[in-house]
mmCIF file of all heavy atoms in Angstrom:
data_model
loop_
_atom_site.group_PDB
_atom_site.id
_atom_site.type_symbol
_atom_site.label_atom_id
_atom_site.label_comp_id
_atom_site.label_asym_id
_atom_site.label_seq_id
_atom_site.Cartn_x
_atom_site.Cartn_y
_atom_site.Cartn_z
ATOM 1 N N ASP A 28 111.428 70.148 95.185
ATOM 2 C CA ASP A 28 110.178 69.689 94.576
ATOM 3 C C ASP A 28 108.961 70.536 94.954
ATOM 4 O O ASP A 28 107.995 70.524 94.198
ATOM 5 C CB ASP A 28 109.961 68.202 94.985
ATOM 6 C CG ASP A 28 111.072 67.341 94.547
ATOM 7 O OD1 ASP A 28 111.168 66.978 93.346
ATOM 8 O OD2 ASP A 28 111.887 66.962 95.403
ATOM 9 N N TYR A 29 109.039 71.161 96.100
ATOM 10 C CA TYR A 29 107.880 71.910 96.586
ATOM 11 C C TYR A 29 108.381 73.050 97.490
ATOM 12 O O TYR A 29 109.304 72.862 98.310
ATOM 13 C CB TYR A 29 106.947 71.030 97.384
ATOM 14 C CG TYR A 29 105.564 71.534 97.650
ATOM 15 C CD1 TYR A 29 104.495 71.027 96.919
ATOM 16 C CD2 TYR A 29 105.270 72.476 98.580
ATOM 17 C CE1 TYR A 29 103.190 71.493 97.127
ATOM 18 C CE2 TYR A 29 103.998 73.004 98.804
ATOM 19 C CZ TYR A 29 102.954 72.473 98.076
ATOM 20 O OH TYR A 29 101.679 72.952 98.273
ATOM 21 N N VAL A 30 107.804 74.235 97.291
ATOM 22 C CA VAL A 30 108.132 75.386 98.113
ATOM 23 C C VAL A 30 106.911 75.961 98.783
ATOM 24 O O VAL A 30 105.888 76.112 98.106
ATOM 25 C CB VAL A 30 108.859 76.476 97.345
ATOM 26 C CG1 VAL A 30 109.150 77.708 98.183
ATOM 27 C CG2 VAL A 30 110.165 75.977 96.708
ATOM 28 N N ALA A 31 106.981 76.226 100.065
ATOM 29 C CA ALA A 31 105.904 76.952 100.767
ATOM 30 C C ALA A 31 106.497 78.302 101.229
ATOM 31 O O ALA A 31 107.451 78.332 102.038
ATOM 32 C CB ALA A 31 105.395 76.154 101.918
ATOM 33 N N MET A 32 105.960 79.386 100.683
ATOM 34 C CA MET A 32 106.474 80.707 101.098
ATOM 35 C C MET A 32 105.391 81.418 101.904
ATOM 36 O O MET A 32 104.253 81.532 101.505
ATOM 37 C CB MET A 32 106.807 81.523 99.901
ATOM 38 C CG MET A 32 107.274 82.971 100.251
ATOM 39 S SD MET A 32 107.773 83.944 98.825
ATOM 40 C CE MET A 32 107.647 85.581 99.547
ATOM 41 N N ASP A 33 105.783 81.913 103.047
ATOM 42 C CA ASP A 33 104.881 82.628 103.964
ATOM 43 C C ASP A 33 104.643 84.030 103.448
ATOM 44 O O ASP A 33 105.600 84.773 103.147
ATOM 45 C CB ASP A 33 105.433 82.668 105.376
ATOM 46 C CG ASP A 33 105.525 81.321 106.035
ATOM 47 O OD1 ASP A 33 104.445 80.640 105.990
ATOM 48 O OD2 ASP A 33 106.553 80.957 106.560
ATOM 49 N N ILE A 34 103.375 84.383 103.375
ATOM 50 C CA ILE A 34 102.981 85.799 103.217
ATOM 51 C C ILE A 34 102.444 86.218 104.593
ATOM 52 O O ILE A 34 101.387 85.710 105.050
ATOM 53 C CB ILE A 34 101.887 85.945 102.137
ATOM 54 C CG1 ILE A 34 102.315 85.340 100.814
ATOM 55 C CG2 ILE A 34 101.477 87.402 102.006
ATOM 56 C CD1 ILE A 34 103.512 86.019 100.192
ATOM 57 N N LYS A 35 103.189 87.065 105.278
ATOM 58 C CA LYS A 35 102.869 87.336 106.676
ATOM 59 C C LYS A 35 101.683 88.260 106.828
ATOM 60 O O LYS A 35 100.856 88.090 107.739
ATOM 61 C CB LYS A 35 104.060 87.974 107.373
ATOM 62 C CG LYS A 35 105.361 87.141 107.261
ATOM 63 C CD LYS A 35 105.304 85.874 108.044
ATOM 64 C CE LYS A 35 106.630 85.203 108.014
ATOM 65 N NZ LYS A 35 106.678 83.961 108.893
ATOM 66 N N THR A 36 101.594 89.281 105.910
ATOM 67 C CA THR A 36 100.548 90.319 106.005
ATOM 68 C C THR A 36 100.645 91.126 104.752
ATOM 69 O O THR A 36 101.292 90.737 103.817
ATOM 70 C CB THR A 36 100.722 91.162 107.285
ATOM 71 O OG1 THR A 36 99.693 92.161 107.365
ATOM 72 C CG2 THR A 36 102.105 91.811 107.318
ATOM 73 N N SER A 37 99.947 92.290 104.719
ATOM 74 C CA SER A 37 100.129 93.160 103.590
ATOM 75 C C SER A 37 101.519 93.762 103.626
ATOM 76 O O SER A 37 102.175 93.831 104.685
ATOM 77 C CB SER A 37 99.101 94.285 103.642
ATOM 78 O OG SER A 37 99.204 95.036 104.862
ATOM 79 N N ILE A 38 102.037 94.195 102.489
ATOM 80 C CA ILE A 38 103.437 94.556 102.379
ATOM 81 C C ILE A 38 103.783 95.710 103.266
ATOM 82 O O ILE A 38 104.905 95.837 103.771
ATOM 83 C CB ILE A 38 103.804 94.831 100.864
ATOM 84 C CG1 ILE A 38 105.299 94.533 100.609
ATOM 85 C CG2 ILE A 38 103.384 96.210 100.437
ATOM 86 C CD1 ILE A 38 105.628 93.056 100.630
ATOM 87 N N ASP A 39 102.825 96.605 103.476
ATOM 88 C CA ASP A 39 103.097 97.816 104.236
ATOM 89 C C ASP A 39 103.239 97.539 105.753
ATOM 90 O O ASP A 39 103.732 98.373 106.540
ATOM 91 C CB ASP A 39 102.056 98.926 104.028
ATOM 92 C CG ASP A 39 100.708 98.442 104.477
ATOM 93 O OD1 ASP A 39 100.248 97.348 104.122
ATOM 94 O OD2 ASP A 39 100.023 99.216 105.180
ATOM 95 N N LYS A 40 102.836 96.339 106.195
ATOM 96 C CA LYS A 40 102.968 95.969 107.587
ATOM 97 C C LYS A 40 104.204 95.114 107.913
ATOM 98 O O LYS A 40 104.448 94.852 109.078
ATOM 99 C CB LYS A 40 101.714 95.186 108.065
ATOM 100 C CG LYS A 40 100.499 96.049 108.316
ATOM 101 C CD LYS A 40 99.376 95.239 108.964
ATOM 102 C CE LYS A 40 98.169 96.189 109.329
ATOM 103 N NZ LYS A 40 97.107 95.373 110.014
ATOM 104 N N TYR A 41 105.012 94.801 106.928
ATOM 105 C CA TYR A 41 106.195 94.020 107.146
ATOM 106 C C TYR A 41 107.185 94.679 108.086
ATOM 107 O O TYR A 41 107.888 93.991 108.830
ATOM 108 C CB TYR A 41 106.841 93.616 105.848
ATOM 109 C CG TYR A 41 106.388 92.280 105.315
ATOM 110 C CD1 TYR A 41 105.217 92.138 104.590
ATOM 111 C CD2 TYR A 41 107.159 91.131 105.517
ATOM 112 C CE1 TYR A 41 104.810 90.893 104.147
ATOM 113 C CE2 TYR A 41 106.779 89.883 105.040
ATOM 114 C CZ TYR A 41 105.584 89.779 104.354
ATOM 115 O OH TYR A 41 105.167 88.558 103.909
ATOM 116 N N PRO A 42 107.312 96.004 108.128
ATOM 117 C CA PRO A 42 108.222 96.612 109.070
ATOM 118 C C PRO A 42 107.882 96.235 110.524
ATOM 119 O O PRO A 42 108.784 96.237 111.398
ATOM 120 C CB PRO A 42 108.011 98.117 108.856
ATOM 121 C CG PRO A 42 107.665 98.239 107.392
ATOM 122 C CD PRO A 42 106.822 97.024 107.132
ATOM 123 N N GLN A 43 106.651 95.923 110.846
ATOM 124 C CA GLN A 43 106.291 95.472 112.179
ATOM 125 C C GLN A 43 106.915 94.141 112.504
ATOM 126 O O GLN A 43 107.013 93.770 113.676
ATOM 127 C CB GLN A 43 104.763 95.344 112.309
ATOM 128 C CG GLN A 43 104.000 96.629 112.113
ATOM 129 C CD GLN A 43 102.499 96.415 112.235
ATOM 130 O OE1 GLN A 43 102.038 95.529 113.001
ATOM 131 N NE2 GLN A 43 101.725 97.218 111.568
ATOM 132 N N LEU A 44 107.403 93.452 111.559
ATOM 133 C CA LEU A 44 107.983 92.097 111.693
ATOM 134 C C LEU A 44 109.508 92.105 111.490
ATOM 135 O O LEU A 44 110.090 91.052 111.455
ATOM 136 C CB LEU A 44 107.303 91.094 110.702
ATOM 137 C CG LEU A 44 105.789 91.053 110.694
ATOM 138 C CD1 LEU A 44 105.290 90.103 109.644
ATOM 139 C CD2 LEU A 44 105.290 90.680 112.095
ATOM 140 N N GLY A 45 110.040 93.327 111.388
ATOM 141 C CA GLY A 45 111.508 93.442 111.247
ATOM 142 C C GLY A 45 112.021 93.527 109.852
ATOM 143 O O GLY A 45 113.233 93.431 109.622
ATOM 144 N N VAL A 46 111.163 93.713 108.852
ATOM 145 C CA VAL A 46 111.545 93.850 107.458
ATOM 146 C C VAL A 46 111.146 95.195 106.928
ATOM 147 O O VAL A 46 109.984 95.448 106.669
ATOM 148 C CB VAL A 46 110.958 92.710 106.600
ATOM 149 C CG1 VAL A 46 111.379 92.870 105.182
ATOM 150 C CG2 VAL A 46 111.376 91.355 107.132
ATOM 151 N N ASP A 47 112.144 96.084 106.734
ATOM 152 C CA ASP A 47 111.868 97.446 106.199
ATOM 153 C C ASP A 47 111.900 97.440 104.683
ATOM 154 O O ASP A 47 111.132 98.172 104.034
ATOM 155 C CB ASP A 47 112.839 98.435 106.817
ATOM 156 C CG ASP A 47 112.646 98.635 108.271
ATOM 157 O OD1 ASP A 47 111.478 98.643 108.713
ATOM 158 O OD2 ASP A 47 113.666 98.713 109.032
ATOM 159 N N ASP A 48 112.846 96.693 104.092
ATOM 160 C CA ASP A 48 112.957 96.636 102.640
ATOM 161 C C ASP A 48 112.293 95.363 102.148
ATOM 162 O O ASP A 48 112.805 94.265 102.404
ATOM 163 C CB ASP A 48 114.416 96.672 102.215
ATOM 164 C CG ASP A 48 114.652 96.674 100.736
ATOM 165 O OD1 ASP A 48 113.634 96.613 99.992
ATOM 166 O OD2 ASP A 48 115.810 96.626 100.312
ATOM 167 N N THR A 49 111.174 95.521 101.483
ATOM 168 C CA THR A 49 110.371 94.296 101.087
ATOM 169 C C THR A 49 110.643 93.941 99.632
ATOM 170 O O THR A 49 109.951 93.100 99.094
ATOM 171 C CB THR A 49 108.879 94.588 101.289
ATOM 172 O OG1 THR A 49 108.535 95.783 100.564
ATOM 173 C CG2 THR A 49 108.547 94.745 102.782
ATOM 174 N N SER A 50 111.590 94.559 98.996
ATOM 175 C CA SER A 50 111.870 94.285 97.577
ATOM 176 C C SER A 50 112.264 92.813 97.396
ATOM 177 O O SER A 50 111.935 92.204 96.376
ATOM 178 C CB SER A 50 112.978 95.207 97.041
ATOM 179 O OG SER A 50 114.172 95.019 97.736
ATOM 180 N N ASN A 51 113.023 92.216 98.332
ATOM 181 C CA ASN A 51 113.431 90.835 98.175
ATOM 182 C C ASN A 51 112.200 89.911 98.250
ATOM 183 O O ASN A 51 112.207 88.840 97.630
ATOM 184 C CB ASN A 51 114.443 90.455 99.219
ATOM 185 C CG ASN A 51 115.842 90.933 98.877
ATOM 186 O OD1 ASN A 51 116.143 91.159 97.714
ATOM 187 N ND2 ASN A 51 116.667 91.126 99.880
ATOM 188 N N ILE A 52 111.229 90.254 99.096
ATOM 189 C CA ILE A 52 110.032 89.437 99.183
ATOM 190 C C ILE A 52 109.276 89.480 97.884
ATOM 191 O O ILE A 52 108.803 88.428 97.368
ATOM 192 C CB ILE A 52 109.166 89.932 100.351
ATOM 193 C CG1 ILE A 52 109.843 89.655 101.712
ATOM 194 C CG2 ILE A 52 107.754 89.285 100.308
ATOM 195 C CD1 ILE A 52 109.167 90.266 102.919
ATOM 196 N N MET A 53 109.214 90.639 97.277
ATOM 197 C CA MET A 53 108.545 90.776 95.955
ATOM 198 C C MET A 53 109.276 89.958 94.926
ATOM 199 O O MET A 53 108.630 89.305 94.067
ATOM 200 C CB MET A 53 108.490 92.247 95.576
ATOM 201 C CG MET A 53 107.796 93.146 96.531
ATOM 202 S SD MET A 53 106.031 92.822 96.756
ATOM 203 C CE MET A 53 105.429 93.475 95.210
ATOM 204 N N ARG A 54 110.597 89.923 94.966
ATOM 205 C CA ARG A 54 111.355 89.143 94.023
ATOM 206 C C ARG A 54 111.113 87.636 94.179
ATOM 207 O O ARG A 54 110.935 86.903 93.197
ATOM 208 C CB ARG A 54 112.868 89.379 94.189
ATOM 209 C CG ARG A 54 113.413 90.695 93.564
ATOM 210 C CD ARG A 54 114.903 90.751 93.687
ATOM 211 N NE ARG A 54 115.527 89.566 93.038
ATOM 212 C CZ ARG A 54 116.733 89.091 93.340
ATOM 213 N NH1 ARG A 54 117.425 89.624 94.337
ATOM 214 N NH2 ARG A 54 117.227 88.042 92.677
ATOM 215 N N SER A 55 111.052 87.187 95.435
ATOM 216 C CA SER A 55 110.822 85.771 95.690
ATOM 217 C C SER A 55 109.455 85.350 95.194
ATOM 218 O O SER A 55 109.275 84.255 94.647
ATOM 219 C CB SER A 55 110.975 85.460 97.178
ATOM 220 O OG SER A 55 112.295 85.595 97.644
ATOM 221 N N ILE A 56 108.477 86.160 95.424
ATOM 222 C CA ILE A 56 107.110 85.845 94.914
ATOM 223 C C ILE A 56 107.115 85.666 93.409
ATOM 224 O O ILE A 56 106.575 84.689 92.895
ATOM 225 C CB ILE A 56 106.147 86.989 95.296
ATOM 226 C CG1 ILE A 56 105.886 86.979 96.816
ATOM 227 C CG2 ILE A 56 104.823 86.849 94.560
ATOM 228 C CD1 ILE A 56 105.065 88.136 97.351
ATOM 229 N N GLN A 57 107.804 86.579 92.690
ATOM 230 C CA GLN A 57 107.827 86.531 91.274
ATOM 231 C C GLN A 57 108.654 85.303 90.801
ATOM 232 O O GLN A 57 108.281 84.619 89.798
ATOM 233 C CB GLN A 57 108.411 87.788 90.677
ATOM 234 C CG GLN A 57 108.167 87.893 89.191
ATOM 235 C CD GLN A 57 106.660 87.953 88.842
ATOM 236 O OE1 GLN A 57 105.911 88.709 89.484
ATOM 237 N NE2 GLN A 57 106.231 87.073 87.908
ATOM 238 N N ILE A 58 109.737 84.993 91.519
ATOM 239 C CA ILE A 58 110.571 83.823 91.167
ATOM 240 C C ILE A 58 109.727 82.541 91.202
ATOM 241 O O ILE A 58 109.748 81.714 90.315
ATOM 242 C CB ILE A 58 111.770 83.707 92.118
ATOM 243 C CG1 ILE A 58 112.802 84.756 91.742
ATOM 244 C CG2 ILE A 58 112.381 82.317 92.047
ATOM 245 C CD1 ILE A 58 113.920 84.858 92.771
ATOM 246 N N LEU A 59 108.912 82.391 92.254
ATOM 247 C CA LEU A 59 108.091 81.193 92.366
ATOM 248 C C LEU A 59 106.971 81.179 91.303
ATOM 249 O O LEU A 59 106.707 80.127 90.698
ATOM 250 C CB LEU A 59 107.460 81.135 93.787
ATOM 251 C CG LEU A 59 108.416 80.817 94.891
ATOM 252 C CD1 LEU A 59 107.744 80.841 96.206
ATOM 253 C CD2 LEU A 59 109.100 79.436 94.658
ATOM 254 N N LYS A 60 106.358 82.330 91.016
ATOM 255 C CA LYS A 60 105.358 82.372 90.005
ATOM 256 C C LYS A 60 105.908 81.989 88.643
ATOM 257 O O LYS A 60 105.212 81.336 87.851
ATOM 258 C CB LYS A 60 104.753 83.802 89.887
ATOM 259 C CG LYS A 60 103.811 84.181 91.059
ATOM 260 C CD LYS A 60 103.283 85.559 90.834
ATOM 261 C CE LYS A 60 102.383 86.039 91.895
ATOM 262 N NZ LYS A 60 101.867 87.424 91.677
ATOM 263 N N ASP A 61 107.150 82.330 88.372
ATOM 264 C CA ASP A 61 107.743 82.108 87.089
ATOM 265 C C ASP A 61 108.363 80.678 87.013
ATOM 266 O O ASP A 61 108.779 80.282 85.912
ATOM 267 C CB ASP A 61 108.849 83.090 86.773
ATOM 268 C CG ASP A 61 108.278 84.530 86.557
ATOM 269 O OD1 ASP A 61 107.060 84.618 86.281
ATOM 270 O OD2 ASP A 61 109.036 85.476 86.684
ATOM 271 N N SER A 62 108.490 79.968 88.119
ATOM 272 C CA SER A 62 109.204 78.703 88.116
ATOM 273 C C SER A 62 108.317 77.569 87.703
ATOM 274 O O SER A 62 107.121 77.683 87.577
ATOM 275 C CB SER A 62 109.728 78.456 89.534
ATOM 276 O OG SER A 62 108.661 77.996 90.407
ATOM 277 N N GLN A 63 108.940 76.398 87.465
ATOM 278 C CA GLN A 63 108.235 75.174 87.155
ATOM 279 C C GLN A 63 108.074 74.279 88.387
ATOM 280 O O GLN A 63 107.553 73.188 88.315
ATOM 281 C CB GLN A 63 109.027 74.400 86.069
ATOM 282 C CG GLN A 63 109.190 75.179 84.765
ATOM 283 C CD GLN A 63 107.902 75.609 84.118
ATOM 284 O OE1 GLN A 63 106.982 74.775 83.994
ATOM 285 N NE2 GLN A 63 107.770 76.862 83.782
ATOM 286 N N VAL A 64 108.500 74.776 89.516
ATOM 287 C CA VAL A 64 108.400 74.037 90.819
ATOM 288 C C VAL A 64 107.033 74.194 91.435
ATOM 289 O O VAL A 64 106.449 75.282 91.368
ATOM 290 C CB VAL A 64 109.470 74.498 91.756
ATOM 291 C CG1 VAL A 64 109.349 73.807 93.107
ATOM 292 C CG2 VAL A 64 110.890 74.268 91.192
ATOM 293 N N GLN A 65 106.503 73.108 92.013
ATOM 294 C CA GLN A 65 105.241 73.205 92.714
ATOM 295 C C GLN A 65 105.410 74.083 93.911
ATOM 296 O O GLN A 65 106.417 73.892 94.648
ATOM 297 C CB GLN A 65 104.751 71.805 93.091
ATOM 298 C CG GLN A 65 103.326 71.805 93.620
ATOM 299 C CD GLN A 65 102.812 70.371 93.896
ATOM 300 O OE1 GLN A 65 103.577 69.415 93.772
ATOM 301 N NE2 GLN A 65 101.560 70.286 94.264
#
């Protein structure tokens, strides 16, 4: 019914948090934008 997705920082700083490939994060953002879920 509701999703809260964390945006940790700008995309170029995600490697500092252990994520080198940010393509999945970009996909998730778009999935939520396109969804009917709050």
Side-chain angles (χ1 to χ4, degrees):
D28 301 283
Y29 197 105
V30 177
M32 178 177 162
D33 293 309
I34 304 296
K35 306 291 186 177
T36 180
S37 58
I38 208 71
D39 63 310
K40 283 189 174 181
Y41 266 81
Q43 298 180 29
L44 309 176
V46 178
D47 293 320
D48 182 0
T49 56
S50 60
N51 282 336
I52 292 172
M53 304 294 288
R54 280 187 60 205
S55 292
I56 290 172
Q57 196 60 49
I58 285 170
L59 289 177
K60 286 182 181 179
D61 293 341
S62 76
Q63 300 302 311
V64 175
Q65 190 175 7

